[in-house]
Amino acid sequence: MANKRKNKRTLITLVKVFGILLICMVLFIGFRYYRRQAIQQEQIRQEQQAQKAAAEKLERQRKQFIKTIAPVAQKVDKSYDLLPSITIAQACLESNYGQSQLAQKYNNLFGVKSSNKYTSAVMTTKEYTNGKWVTVKGRFQIYDSYEAAIRAHARLFQNGTDWNKDQYKDVKAAKDYKSQAKALVTDGYATDPDYATKLIDLIEQYKLNQYDQ
């Protein structure tokens, strides 16, 4: 009888020990799961913060570039009856807001090419040809300032090309930014079929038409 009671107490003790171990194991697994989830959430939060900070920095750089060239475009374009909003949007689009190598090294905001080896540099660029984008090497004009690039850009529209003085007659005739953006494609300035849409989107995103007043 005594042995039975002893065995029963032993069994109860074992069950209690097992129960405690089971609870501890569940708590340990739960803690590890919670900790892993917390670490993952923190990593996601940090990544989101880094992405947000990078996006905010990029936006500040873009707005600073616009702020830098806007008064120059206003001053220059006024003399040529052109819309500063279009010039600013073109510079943003074609120089990646002044971040392209052409813009940073040579103040070339518009991808202007040149055949004069003394006032140009050879660089790689992308062009839209036969329905697709291709990488090509070309010789591009060097300018001593953003203003020099913008002034040369304005003269191009005013004077036309060597082979056609009226090349940009539709651009000069346009009186609003949407018409002028579309005229750039019509008159053969851009090879990108979405060029006008990209300019219009940029103008409306940053309210660049305020500089046309």
Side-chain angles (χ1 to χ4, degrees):
M1 193 72 175
N3 287 334
K4 285 185 177 180
R5 286 197 298 269
K6 184 178 180 182
N7 290 338
K8 187 176 180 180
R9 286 196 299 270
T10 302
L11 180 61
I12 292 172
T13 302
L14 288 173
V15 170
K16 288 181 178 179
V17 170
F18 178 78
I20 292 172
L21 289 174
L22 182 61
I23 292 171
C24 289
M25 185 178 294
V26 170
L27 289 174
F28 177 72
I29 293 173
F31 172 75
R32 288 197 63 184
Y33 174 79
Y34 173 79
R35 185 170 180 272
R36 184 165 61 249
Q37 290 294 107
I39 291 173
Q40 289 177 345
Q41 289 298 321
E42 178 61 19
Q43 288 175 338
I44 292 172
R45 187 186 69 82
Q46 290 180 358
E47 288 173 1
Q48 289 175 338
Q49 284 187 332
Q51 290 173 354
K52 181 180 179 183
E56 289 175 347
K57 180 181 178 181
L58 180 62
E59 191 65 11
R60 287 195 300 270
Q61 289 176 338
R62 290 179 172 183
K63 288 181 177 179
Q64 182 57 48
F65 176 72
I66 291 171
K67 186 178 179 180
T68 298
I69 67 169
V72 180
Q74 283 183 301
K75 180 179 74 172
V76 173
D77 288 346
K78 184 178 181 181
S79 305
Y80 293 91
D81 293 324
L82 296 171
L83 296 176
S85 63
I86 289 290
T87 299
I88 298 167
Q90 284 186 288
C92 291
L93 182 61
E94 297 184 33
S95 74
N96 189 25
Y97 298 86
Q99 297 303 302
S100 70
Q101 284 190 326
L102 266 177
Q104 292 186 338
K105 289 185 176 181
Y106 306 116
N107 296 308
N108 190 328
L109 298 175
F110 306 101
V112 176
K113 293 182 178 180
S114 174
S115 58
N116 188 335
K117 66 179 181 180
Y118 298 107
T119 60
S120 64
V122 176
M123 297 195 72
T124 301
T125 186
K126 287 187 176 181
E127 294 183 355
Y128 193 82
T129 306
N130 297 325
K132 62 180 180 180
W133 288 100
V134 295
T135 301
V136 298
K137 280 190 175 182
R139 187 172 287 280
F140 294 88
Q141 183 66 40
I142 297 172
Y143 297 102
D144 58 12
S145 65
Y146 282 170
E147 181 172 347
I150 292 173
R151 195 169 294 280
H153 186 66
R155 284 198 298 268
L156 171 66
F157 293 131
Q158 187 68 34
N159 301 329
T161 59
D162 292 338
W163 57 90
N164 184 359
K165 300 301 180 183
D166 295 322
Q167 177 80 40
Y168 301 110
K169 60 182 180 62
D170 297 311
V171 174
K172 292 188 292 184
K175 300 304 179 185
D176 63 85
Y177 68 86
K178 289 185 179 179
S179 299
Q180 198 163 92
K182 293 173 182 176
L184 286 167
V185 178
T186 302
D187 289 348
Y189 174 86
T191 57
D192 182 355
D194 298 321
Y195 189 76
T197 300
K198 291 176 182 178
L199 290 182
I200 293 169
D201 288 347
L202 269 174
I203 290 170
E204 294 178 348
Q205 179 181 354
Y206 292 105
K207 298 179 174 56
L208 302 182
N209 56 317
Q210 65 181 297
Y211 299 110
D212 295 338
Q213 309 305 318

